[in-house]
Amino acid sequence: MAPFNLTSLTPVTFILTGIPGMEQQHVWISIPFCSMYLAALLGNGVLLLIIWTERSLHQPMYLLLSMLALADLTLSTTAVPKTLALFWFHAREISFGACLTQMFFLHFTCSAESVILVAMAFDRFVAICFPLRYGAVLTPSAVAKMGLVALLRSFCIIFPCIFLLRRLPFCGHNVISHTYCEHIGIARLACADISANIWYGLIVPIAVVVLDLILIAVSYGFILLALLRLPSRTARHKAFHTCVSHVCILFLFYGPAGFTALAHRFGQNIPHDIHILLANLYVLLPPLLNPVVYGVRTQQIREKVVKVFICPKGHLVRQ
């Protein structure tokens, strides 16, 4: 058993088990996990490079997209490298401090990404409903303030979780049946009442996500009304096309996130290995697919990718 601090009843290390019941398949499972992670790094890295180097893309929509790419990189990098180390090298131990740090950045990034998605919905709302005021409303300063709000709100929501966990005694229980650390998974190892952790971990995130979804729904309600009033069918199609990518990303983020959160608390009938697999896909699929969705559906990004990486004759650019 890992070392244990009898004075504070806080374990020096936690033990991550990986995917329960599938230990023999860890190496095989690591192949798609690693491939998806590398593809996510490449896709989001290219997206950031394109937006950073092309001045024509220094617009609110693309600046928000770069924030989303940074959040995706943070989300996947917080969890996946440790998971791969566990699968490949049986590196099951993680210190108490490292576990809390991983938990914090995982939930912090998810919360920040939700705010960014609200900001992207607001961006589309202003662009379609008030196009003449778009430049005046969504200035670079306004976009920077949106990013600051995402960071501050996420910090204020997630930081209390650290205090809620540090106050708990663990009495020698230090085995986490997961591939990474998250709030309720750690709290359930405690030998004390964890009602505060359960209620805070359930009510606060759900309230915040519901508020974000309401703001997004209101934005798209006004957008839909504006689209129906457009006289030109071509104009309606163009405006609708600009929103489809964002709607796809909304489903990619909120769908798996909601299912994972509810299954962890109410899905007792869901096999534990399936739940852990889905939890890992949650930190892999959005970072993997978000740049693909925007890269495929956004003409400006496709054109800049070709311009940066491919010459007119189809040869790679030589530095």
Side-chain angles (χ1 to χ4, degrees):
M1 181 177 292
F4 183 73
N5 188 327
L6 295 173
T7 303
S8 64
L9 293 179
T10 298
V12 176
T13 59
F14 284 116
I15 304 296
L16 297 170
T17 64
I19 303 175
M22 303 184 71
E23 290 82 0
Q24 301 301 319
Q25 288 78 42
H26 276 176
V27 173
W28 297 106
I29 296 172
S30 71
I31 296 175
F33 277 24
C34 182
S35 300
M36 295 167 70
Y37 176 59
L38 293 176
L41 292 180
L42 177 63
N44 286 285
V46 169
L47 199 60
L48 287 170
L49 176 65
I50 295 298
I51 295 173
W52 179 264
T53 57
E54 293 296 326
R55 295 186 61 85
S56 62
L57 296 182
H58 293 181
Q59 303 172 27
M61 173 182 172
Y62 300 107
L63 295 177
L64 291 170
L65 181 55
S66 66
M67 292 182 190
L68 184 67
L70 284 172
D72 282 337
L73 287 174
T74 305
L75 177 64
S76 58
T77 302
T78 297
V80 178
K82 179 59 181 177
T83 299
L84 294 177
L86 188 157
F87 287 169
W88 290 339
F89 310 114
H90 304 289
R92 303 169 63 195
E93 292 191 356
I94 182 170
S95 69
F96 182 76
C99 193
L100 291 188
T101 301
Q102 186 184 55
M103 178 277 300
F104 173 81
F105 279 104
L106 188 71
H107 297 316
F108 173 87
T109 307
C110 291
S111 177
E113 192 158 336
S114 185
V115 180
I116 294 169
L117 292 174
V118 173
M120 294 175 76
F122 179 70
D123 169 79
R124 293 299 85 203
F125 163 72
V126 176
I128 292 173
C129 298
F130 303 99
L132 298 180
R133 299 180 59 189
Y134 182 78
V137 173
L138 284 163
T139 61
S141 175
V143 175
K145 290 176 182 177
M146 290 178 183
L148 183 61
V149 167
L151 295 177
L152 290 177
R153 194 194 76 166
S154 302
F155 181 84
C156 292
I157 291 172
I158 305 304
F159 194 67
C161 293
I162 295 179
F163 291 100
L164 289 173
L165 289 173
R166 291 192 67 89
R167 70 183 179 87
L168 295 173
F170 289 88
C171 307
H173 304 143
N174 67 338
V175 178
I176 301 176
S177 297
H178 210 308
T179 57
Y180 55 79
C181 300
E182 50 86 33
H183 177 218
I184 299 300
I186 301 173
R188 283 181 174 165
L189 297 179
C191 53
D193 182 22
I194 62 169
S195 298
N197 297 76
I198 292 175
W199 285 112
Y200 188 88
L202 180 65
I203 293 176
V204 173
I206 288 181
V208 168
V209 168
V210 168
L211 174 62
D212 290 347
L213 287 174
I214 289 174
L215 293 174
I216 291 171
V218 169
S219 296
Y220 274 93
F222 283 115
I223 289 172
L224 182 60
L225 291 175
L227 291 178
L228 294 176
R229 289 197 295 263
L230 289 176
S232 169
R233 183 176 179 181
T234 302
R236 284 199 303 269
H237 176 76
K238 183 177 179 181
F240 176 78
H241 183 80
T242 63
C243 296
V244 170
S245 298
H246 185 232
V247 172
C248 291
I249 286 177
L250 289 175
F251 280 109
L252 285 174
F253 178 76
Y254 288 110
F259 180 84
T260 299
L262 294 175
H264 193 74
R265 290 163 176 83
F266 305 112
Q268 288 80 8
N269 295 326
I270 299 176
H272 197 47
D273 55 343
I274 300 300
H275 174 217
I276 301 303
L277 275 172
L278 292 175
N280 279 277
L281 289 178
Y282 166 62
V283 300
L284 280 166
L285 282 180
L288 171 68
L289 296 179
N290 285 351
V292 174
V293 169
Y294 264 98
V296 170
R297 297 199 59 85
T298 307
Q299 181 181 356
Q300 293 92 329
I301 292 179
R302 292 201 308 268
E303 292 175 348
K304 299 306 179 184
V305 169
V306 173
K307 175 182 176 181
V308 171
F309 292 102
I310 303 177
C311 289
K313 295 183 179 180
H315 298 295
L316 294 178
V317 174
R318 295 181 179 176
Q319 300 296 332

